[in-house]
Amino acid sequence: MNKCPNCGSDIKEGAKFCTSCGYQLVQGNVNNTVNTTNTTNVDRARQTVDTDRMKEVSMSYWDWLVTSWKHPFKVQAGEKYTGLVTLAIEGVMFALSVMILVRKIAGAFVESSNSIMSFFSGGSSSSTSNPVGFNVFVVFFLAVFIAALAIIGAVLLIEKGFSDSNKEYLDLVNEVAHKTSSLVLLNAVLFVYSFIVSNASVNSVVLIDVVLGLMSMIWVIGILSVAFELKETKMDNIYVGLVIYIAHMIIISIAGWIVVNHYAGMLTDLISELMRVI
């Protein structure tokens, strides 16, 4: 039974007029109205399903994260990409913290440089702007995130090479992320503190060093635990752990070298400009 597009009353199939309101019906209009209504209902249903699924995944991830904080080494199964999401969140917060802190340090240095250049040039020199921007966030995020994934990849290869493990890459990512999920909390502390700190005082440097030290320790424990949990290895677990640690340090060194070289030119140009004026 079709509906009248004017008053909504039921109309017979093939009717030319609505018996309730007298509206002249065109068969194509009736069909189009019905089809449009059906399409709208389907879209609304799909949107509701997508929203419910998103809420379900969010709650599932939150439960997984809280469980990992309470019992890091009692690894719980989660969504396929739970580990990747956790590492990405940690990388975003760390990169933002670095960008904010470095920008404040660079801002103080640029302000001093502008004052010195203005003094020696009699106030006629142009001011140098703060060179630290969003590019710092992008570089540090990619460096941290890719380095973490590369380290986990190396751990997987070493694990397969020294044991009969059949673990998949994403499974290991989830495992390491679960064991090191407290890095989310430490990165949150560092992120908040990066807004609060206003200068590079001794206390601020000490606190930042402590947080970074804890981050490094938790990460190393997380990846080394993989070696000590292996069964029937081809050599003692301590040596497997040593190989993992060496691979970890090599990847960290490469990432650090890339970042330092990326910004070495910018720092050199800034210092050269200051020395030229002086």
Side-chain angles (χ1 to χ4, degrees):
M1 184 72 70
N2 294 328
K3 299 286 185 181
C4 173
N6 185 49
C7 67
S9 300
D10 292 338
I11 55 177
K12 295 181 179 180
E13 190 73 29
K16 297 182 179 180
F17 296 91
C18 174
T19 56
S20 296
C21 65
Y23 182 78
Q24 184 175 0
L25 302 172
V26 179
Q27 191 63 30
N29 290 341
V30 175
N31 292 336
N32 288 339
T33 301
V34 173
N35 292 336
T36 302
T37 302
N38 291 338
T39 302
T40 302
N41 291 337
V42 171
D43 291 341
R44 287 176 180 173
R46 185 180 295 113
Q47 185 177 3
T48 301
V49 172
D50 292 342
T51 303
D52 292 341
R53 175 59 179 165
M54 186 178 299
K55 291 180 180 178
E56 180 184 347
V57 171
S58 300
M59 291 304 300
S60 175
Y61 176 74
W62 176 250
D63 292 339
W64 179 90
L65 193 59
V66 172
T67 301
S68 68
W69 289 337
K70 294 179 179 178
H71 307 287
F73 278 71
K74 294 181 180 179
V75 180
Q76 300 290 322
E79 296 288 337
K80 184 177 182 180
Y81 299 105
T82 298
L84 287 176
V85 171
T86 304
L87 294 179
I89 291 173
E90 294 167 0
V92 167
M93 288 194 293
F94 180 78
L96 285 174
S97 301
V98 171
M99 182 187 72
I100 295 169
L101 291 171
V102 173
R103 183 169 178 79
K104 289 183 176 181
I105 295 172
F109 179 77
V110 169
E111 184 178 351
S112 300
S113 301
N114 289 335
S115 298
I116 294 173
M117 289 187 290
S118 178
F119 175 79
F120 282 97
S121 61
S124 60
S125 64
S126 59
S127 298
T128 302
S129 60
N130 194 324
V132 178
F134 189 71
N135 63 310
V136 173
F137 164 78
V138 175
V139 170
F140 273 87
F141 170 73
L142 291 177
V144 171
F145 187 63
I146 294 176
L149 296 183
I151 290 170
I152 295 175
V155 171
L156 182 65
L157 292 176
I158 294 170
E159 180 178 347
K160 289 182 177 294
F162 289 97
S163 69
D164 296 328
S165 172
N166 58 355
K167 193 178 299 180
E168 298 295 331
Y169 179 73
L170 288 179
D171 293 335
L172 185 58
V173 171
N174 290 343
E175 178 184 341
V176 173
H178 193 283
K179 294 177 178 178
T180 62
S181 62
S182 53
L183 292 177
V184 174
L185 299 176
L186 289 174
N187 273 293
V189 171
L190 183 63
F191 178 65
V192 172
Y193 188 70
S194 65
F195 282 100
I196 299 174
V197 66
S198 58
N199 53 67
S201 64
V202 175
N203 292 333
S204 64
V205 172
V206 169
L207 179 59
I208 292 172
D209 287 343
V210 169
V211 173
L212 292 178
L214 288 174
M215 288 182 181
S216 177
M217 181 177 64
I218 291 171
W219 176 256
V220 171
I221 291 174
I223 61 171
L224 289 182
S225 67
V226 176
F228 295 104
E229 292 175 354
L230 291 176
K231 306 293 184 180
E232 299 179 358
T233 56
K234 297 178 181 178
M235 63 170 62
D236 193 88
N237 295 59
I238 189 68
Y239 299 115
V240 179
L242 181 61
V243 174
I244 289 176
Y245 185 74
I246 292 174
H248 159 265
M249 292 305 299
I250 291 174
I251 295 173
I252 291 294
S253 299
I254 293 174
W257 179 82
I258 292 174
V259 172
V260 169
N261 278 271
H262 180 78
Y263 289 107
M266 181 179 67
L267 182 60
T268 301
D269 293 341
L270 189 61
I271 295 175
S272 299
E273 184 177 354
L274 177 61
M275 297 304 296
R276 178 179 58 80
V277 175
I278 296 177

